[in-house]
């Protein structure tokens, strides 16, 4: 595996003659969710590029940018073990040199749910993703459904800005008890971890319901119980249209997303599931 520590180093390594390039952007602290994306990328290409970059632009001022885990050497070993061809690990100043002004605006899709709780988050995500796509120039880029609103914003950007890349979504990888894997799970104490399971339990329960009101009620029953513990503070749990992310009316039929976010102790977690109402 080659490691490109700057844009210039990557440009020198990039060799389209080697075939189709698949790209997996990450913020590092790699887990089996990231590994599943890398394997999907591998199955769809000849050359796999993984970026590891904790993007300051997508964190709010009171968020966990400074303490976000950065086990770079372990991550590079994981990439090597997964057969990654190039790991791209740029510095903040390389990606964001002084004087920059232009950013991508995520629009309406980026202003609901996560966008309401984290103003500017998706502008930061789309700006770095577009920059990375322009630097890496992959044929295909893989993103996880764990961040389903992010995936929707990226798909929208690729269409709206004619970005020449195929975007693939990969299913959520969970621990055996149901907790969605996340780089932030390392922050959870044992009692916080069991509280955090309320998210996946609520999603599972809601997914067995046949109407919007029933799914909503099933989820809230579990989430309200979790909120009896002051360490669990629900941010949102909302049933939305998978294309617009607008909240669903009670009589809605068709595909839906139940998306949720909660603070568990000092850690903010998100999770979601796709369901269908007949
Ligand atoms: P992150 O490093 O958290 O920015 O995530 C990098 C990519 O991995 C994103 O496309 C995420 O959606 C994806 N990802 C993170 N956690 C999971 C998971 N548990 N299952 C599948 N994909 C995931």
């Amino acid at each position: 595996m080659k490691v490109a520590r700057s844009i210039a180093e990557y440009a020198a390594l990039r060799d389209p003659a080697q075939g189709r390039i698949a790209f997996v952007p990450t913020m590092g602290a790699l887990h089996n969710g990231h590994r599943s994306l890398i394997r999907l990328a591998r199955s769809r290409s000849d050359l796999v590029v993984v970026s590891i970059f904790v993007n300051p632009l997508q964190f709010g001022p009171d968020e966990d940018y400074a303490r976000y885990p950065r086990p770079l050497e372990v991550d590079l070993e994981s990439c090597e073990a997964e057969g990654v061809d190039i790991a791209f690990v740029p510095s903040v100043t390389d990606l964001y040199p002084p004087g920059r002004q232009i950013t991508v605006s995520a629009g309406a899709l980026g202003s609901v749910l996560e966008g309401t709780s984290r103003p500017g988050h998706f502008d930061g995500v789309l700006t770095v993703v577009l920059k990375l796509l322009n630097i890496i120039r992959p044929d295909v880029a893989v993103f996880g459904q764990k961040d389903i609103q992010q995936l929707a914003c990226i798909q929208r950007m690729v269409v709206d800005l004619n970005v020449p890349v195929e975007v693939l979504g990969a299913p959520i990888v969970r621990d055996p008890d149901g907790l969605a894997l996340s780089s932030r799970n390392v922050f959870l104490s044992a009692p916080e971890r069991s509280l955090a399971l309320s998210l996946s339990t609520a999603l599972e329960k809601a997914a067995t319901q046949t109407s919007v009101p029933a799914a909503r009620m099933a989820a809230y029953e579990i989430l309200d119980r979790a909120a009896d513990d002051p360490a669990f503070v629900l941010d949102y749990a909302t049933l939305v249209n998978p294309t617009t992310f607008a909240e669903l009316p009670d009589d809605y039929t068709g595909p839906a997303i139940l998306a949720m976010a909660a603070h568990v102790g000092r850690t903010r977690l998100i999770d979601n599931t796709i369901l269908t109402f007949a």
Side-chain angles (χ1 to χ4, degrees):
M1 182 179 80
K2 306 262 175 38
V3 180
R5 292 184 190 270
S6 68
I7 298 169
E9 280 182 27
Y10 176 79
L13 287 174
R14 188 181 186 276
D15 179 9
Q18 287 184 280
R20 269 171 69 81
I21 300 175
F23 176 42
V24 182
T26 82
M27 297 205 299
L30 301 180
H31 51 63
N32 283 337
H34 298 113
R35 287 186 191 92
S36 75
L37 268 51
I38 294 171
R39 285 173 202 163
L40 180 58
R42 169 101 282 149
S43 74
R44 299 290 289 259
S45 67
D46 305 295
L47 202 104
V48 176
V49 180
V50 172
S51 65
I52 299 172
F53 180 69
V54 184
N55 175 33
L57 229 57
Q58 70 190 68
F59 287 79
D62 299 324
E63 293 182 1
D64 56 356
Y65 175 70
R67 71 179 188 124
Y68 198 86
R70 291 168 169 85
L72 183 60
E73 290 314 311
V74 178
D75 283 345
L76 290 176
E77 282 166 25
S78 299
C79 286
E80 177 111 54
E82 284 301 325
V84 169
D85 297 286
I86 302 178
F88 178 54
V89 289
S91 67
V92 172
T93 45
D94 199 21
L95 271 199
Y96 298 122
R100 62 178 189 87
Q101 296 193 22
I102 309 298
T103 57
V104 179
S105 166
L109 197 54
S111 67
V112 293
L113 302 183
E114 282 299 283
T116 306
S117 303
R118 307 182 69 187
H121 170 68
F122 288 116
D123 295 358
V125 168
L126 293 186
T127 300
V128 83
V129 168
L130 185 59
K131 283 167 71 73
L132 290 169
L133 292 172
N134 286 336
I135 293 162
I136 305 299
R137 283 174 289 150
D139 299 282
V140 48
V142 185
F143 298 87
Q145 286 169 0
K146 161 79 175 10
D147 299 274
I148 200 155
Q149 193 180 359
Q150 166 176 288
L151 174 60
C153 287
I154 290 165
Q155 279 165 331
R156 191 75 250 172
M157 172 178 78
V158 162
V159 171
D160 289 354
L161 302 184
N162 304 89
V163 186
V165 69
E166 179 192 353
V167 171
L168 281 185
I172 301 178
V173 177
R174 299 178 180 279
D175 268 337
D177 59 7
L179 186 69
L181 296 187
S182 161
S183 303
R184 291 186 168 98
N185 290 352
V186 295
F187 295 138
L188 299 171
S189 65
E192 286 172 350
R193 200 180 184 291
S194 35
L195 261 185
L197 280 177
S198 312
L199 293 175
S200 51
T201 312
L203 290 171
E204 254 176 59
K205 194 75 194 294
T208 62
Q209 310 301 313
T210 52
S211 72
V212 167
R216 207 178 270 140
M217 202 145 73
Y220 268 94
E221 201 181 305
I222 291 163
L223 297 170
D224 285 345
R225 209 176 313 136
D228 287 343
D229 189 320
F232 186 95
V233 180
L234 187 68
D235 190 343
Y236 61 81
T238 314
L239 276 160
V240 295
N241 178 299
T243 313
T244 61
F245 279 70
E247 193 166 352
L248 296 179
D250 284 358
D251 60 353
Y252 176 84
T253 54
I257 293 170
L258 176 55
M260 44 184 72
H263 292 271
V264 184
R266 286 177 68 206
T267 309
R268 188 172 182 280
L269 300 175
I270 59 170
D271 203 348
N272 72 84
T273 195
I274 300 170
L275 53 175
T276 304
F277 299 110

